[in-house]
Structures are given as structure tokens and as C-alpha cells.
């Protein structure tokens, strides 16, 4: 069944787009080699790349972590996913991953950027046995998210709450209570999938990246391993193996998508941003990765 944007009209969503300010989802799209962004987003991405020339590894390894995590949970029997901070559509979004394993899987995508939802309405269509829906809302509106997601998801059955690379845009005073409220609404057997930027490994470079985002009006909170663990332990969740680890260390399987290929002469004509999609990510070391990942289970 195709998604219905929970009542949102794609034309209305596009009308609401602000092209004068960078948005995290669209900056992320730049690093993934997408085309659904604006010059202001590209400028923000270029500044971040200048601050950390191998920063694209965080973005692409984060996508690959989500692939592995959603695959694992679907194989373990999870059939419902609430993905908050969805980001722009890519080759393998949550519903495509889950429905390859379980065609009846249901997914609700949530994002606060109209660009994301306009693209989601057009591109993220479910298989016939499952369902995808979309909600324009901010992570800091948990009650609204839960109320509207309940039209698609059955909160009497386990749900995987997916918070991929979104909580570092929320201050402590809101981040921890929001996660608690969302998890409190989910039944036993539900799961949390989380990835989060940190300054534990490479504080100088990631600190420069954070500054480029803050200069553009973003909240940007880099949390320690203990801080990330607290999203699980403070809410009574049991961490799955291998616990909280760097993104490329969470159950690597070697099945991630490889880079695009191109003639060297053509590559020489591209700027650093354009070259990203042609770069391999398998040479990443711990020193390159600046985000933690984990999944956990609600008892």
C-alpha cells in the first residue's frame, strides 16, 4: 500500500520549503551523492568537509549501520518501524530493507523538513502487503508523533524506534525526556536503533565540523559513549551485542554498497563534494569514525 503522508499534500509540502537555510537532512543528502538539496546545503556540506576531509565516512557508514540494524531486527521478527529524522530517500530506506525480509512490514517516516516529506510522498511506496506512511513533525513533538503514527502502527505489538543521526541536533534538556516518552509508549519486545556523533575519538576535527553547523544556526551536541548508553540504560533497555560501538564496528557484514565508478579523467574535473560518491568507505579506521551505534530491547 502506498504511503498517504498522513494527510499531507506533496504540493503543500513543497510550498513550505525554505531554500535560504541549510537543513541537516539536505546536507546529509549532499554527502550521500543525492540531488535533493539546495546551494545553501551544499555550502554547509563543503564547510564540514573542509573541517574534516574524511567526514563523509561518518555519513555513509551511518547509512550502512542502519541497513544492518534494520535487517537484523526484521530477521528477528520486528514488523513495525518508527523512523524519526528520516532524511531524504536513498537507495535503501527502512521499508525497502524490512520488506525484503518481511513483506508485511509497516513503517512510519517522520521528519520536520518539507523537502524530505515531499520526496517521501513521491518515492517511498510500500509493497502491496505492507504499508508506509509519512508525518511532518519534529522529534521534540513525541505526543503528536505517537498519536498520528498510531493510525498505521499497532502499539500493542513491538515497534523498532529508529533514531539515526538525529539526537545530536537536540539539547540534553529535551533529548533524554523525548526518548523516554517515545519508549514509554512502546510495548515489551520493542527495540531502539540509535546512532549519534561523538567527540570521543577525534575531538579536533569533529569539533570543527560542529562549529560549522552551529555557525549556521544548528543545535549540535556531541555526546560521549556513556551519554549514548544512557538513552538505553536510563530507560531500562537491554543493549544488544556488541553494545555501544563505533559505527563501522556494529556487526559488519561486508554487504554494503560499493562506490560508483568513473573514468579518472572525469574524476579530475569534479570538486571534492562530487568526488565523495566515487570513494570507497572500506578503508575507514577507528580514527575516521566519529559516531556511536547501538540497538537495544525493551523488557
Amino acid at each position: 500500500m502506498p504511503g498517504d503522508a498522513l494527510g499531507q499534500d506533496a504540493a503543500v509540502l513543497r510550498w513550505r520549503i525554505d531554500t535560504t537555510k541549510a537543513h541537516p537532512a539536505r546536507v546529509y543528502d549532499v554527502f550521500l551523492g543525492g540531488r535533493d538539496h539546495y546551494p545553501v546545503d551544499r555550502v554547509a556540506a563543503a564547510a564540514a568537509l573542509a573541517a574534516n576531509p574524511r567526514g563523509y565516512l561518518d555519513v555513509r557508514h551511518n547509512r550502512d549501520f542502519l541497513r544492518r540494524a534494520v535487517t537484523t531486527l526484521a530477521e528477528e521478527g520486528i514488523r513495525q518501524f518508527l523512523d524519526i529524522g528520516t532524511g531524504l530517500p536513498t537507495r535503501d530506506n527502512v521499508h525497502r530493507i524490512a520488506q525484503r525480509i518481511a513483506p508485511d512490514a509497516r513503517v512510519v517516516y517522520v521528519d520536520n523538513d518539507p523537502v524530505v516529506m515531499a520526496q517521501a510522498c513521491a518515492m517511498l511506496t510500500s509493497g502491496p502487503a505492507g504499508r508506509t506512511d509519512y508525518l511532518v513533525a519534529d522529534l521534540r513533538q513525541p505526543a503528536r508523533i505517537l498519536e498520528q503514527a498510531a493510525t498505521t502502527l499497532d502499539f500493542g505489538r513491538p515497534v523498532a524506534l529508529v533514531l539515526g543521526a538525529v539526537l545530536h541536533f537536540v539539547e540534553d534538556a529535551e533529548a533524554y525526556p523525548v526518548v523516554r516518552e517515545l519508549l514509554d509508549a512502546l510495548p515489551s519486545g520493542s527495540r531502539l536503533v540509535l546512532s549519534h556523533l561523538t567527540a570521543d575519538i577525534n575531538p579536533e576535527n569533529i569539533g570543527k565540523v560542529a562549529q560549522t553547523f552551529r555557525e549556521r544556526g544548528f543545535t549540535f551536541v556531541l555526546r560521549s559513549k556513556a551519554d549514548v548508553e544512557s538513552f538505553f540504560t536510563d530507560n531500562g533497555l537491554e543493549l544488544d551485542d556488541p553494545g555501544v560501538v563505533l559505527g563501522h564496528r556494529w556487526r559488519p557484514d561486508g554487504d554494503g554498497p560499493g562506490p560508483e565508478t568513473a573514468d579518472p579523467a572525469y574524476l579530475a574535473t569534479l570538486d571534492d563534494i562530487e568526488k565523495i560518491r566515487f570513494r570507497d568507505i572500506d578503508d575507514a579506521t577507528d580514527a575516521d569514525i566519529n559516531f556511536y551505534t547501538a540497538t537495544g530491547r525493551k523488557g
Side-chain angles (χ1 to χ4, degrees):
M1 177 182 295
D4 63 7
L6 295 176
Q8 295 288 337
D9 180 81
V12 173
L13 293 175
R14 291 190 182 93
W15 179 79
R16 291 174 50 193
I17 294 167
D18 183 353
T19 63
T20 67
K21 296 179 181 178
H23 188 280
R26 302 196 304 263
V27 175
Y28 197 86
D29 179 68
V30 175
F31 282 114
L32 289 174
R35 291 290 181 266
D36 297 308
H37 52 263
Y38 297 96
V40 67
D41 305 303
R42 193 177 181 86
V43 169
L49 191 64
N52 181 14
R54 286 174 66 80
Y56 64 90
L57 291 167
D58 287 326
V59 175
R60 290 179 56 192
H61 273 288
N62 181 66
R63 287 307 306 179
D64 201 45
F65 158 69
L66 291 175
R67 176 189 62 80
R68 300 192 307 276
V70 172
T71 297
T72 298
L73 269 56
E75 290 176 343
E76 293 179 359
I78 295 295
R79 296 295 179 264
Q80 303 188 105
F81 296 82
L82 178 57
D83 182 1
I84 304 178
T86 299
L88 284 149
T90 62
R91 285 178 290 183
D92 250 356
N93 284 88
V94 169
H95 77 283
R96 294 190 184 277
I97 300 166
Q99 289 179 359
R100 279 200 295 266
I101 298 159
D104 61 339
R106 293 185 165 216
V107 178
V108 172
Y109 292 109
V110 182
D111 206 287
N112 66 354
D113 183 10
V115 169
V116 172
M117 290 297 100
Q119 291 295 324
C121 292
M123 299 176 63
L124 299 182
T125 55
S126 172
R131 184 170 178 179
T132 57
D133 277 321
Y134 324 101
L135 170 60
V136 179
D138 193 282
L139 171 63
R140 291 163 290 193
Q141 301 172 305
R144 177 170 181 250
I145 291 171
L146 291 166
E147 178 184 5
Q148 297 198 31
T151 65
T152 299
L153 305 178
D154 177 1
F155 286 117
R157 298 170 50 225
V159 176
L161 172 62
V162 180
L163 298 173
V166 65
L167 286 169
H168 44 252
F169 296 111
V170 185
E171 296 284 2
D172 286 351
E174 293 180 293
Y176 290 98
V178 161
V179 173
R180 183 177 303 114
E181 185 171 345
L182 290 166
L183 289 170
D184 282 349
L186 305 184
S188 176
S190 293
R191 309 294 282 273
L192 173 61
V193 176
L194 189 149
S195 61
H196 197 297
L197 285 171
T198 184
D200 283 359
I201 310 303
N202 191 352
E204 182 176 357
N205 278 2
I206 195 66
K208 292 177 181 176
V209 172
Q211 186 59 30
T212 69
F213 279 94
R214 291 175 184 136
E215 288 171 353
R216 288 163 175 80
F218 294 108
T219 296
F220 212 85
V221 183
L222 300 169
R223 294 188 171 96
S224 68
K225 182 176 183 179
D227 293 336
V228 173
E229 286 178 343
S230 292
F231 286 112
F232 294 85
T233 57
D234 289 359
N235 292 297
L237 272 64
E238 179 183 355
L239 280 162
D240 300 318
D241 288 337
V244 176
V245 295
L246 292 176
H248 65 314
R249 297 292 184 190
W250 195 93
R251 305 189 190 186
D253 59 11
D255 289 339
E260 297 181 34
T261 58
D263 182 86
Y266 172 68
L267 285 175
T269 68
L270 303 180
D271 64 19
D272 288 341
I273 290 287
E274 290 290 343
K275 289 177 181 176
I276 287 174
R277 69 182 190 272
F278 300 102
R279 290 175 174 161
D280 197 353
I281 66 172
D282 289 339
D283 64 343
T285 68
D286 288 359
D288 293 316
I289 303 301
N290 298 285
F291 71 102
Y292 287 120
T293 55
T295 66
R297 181 190 304 268
K298 184 173 181 178

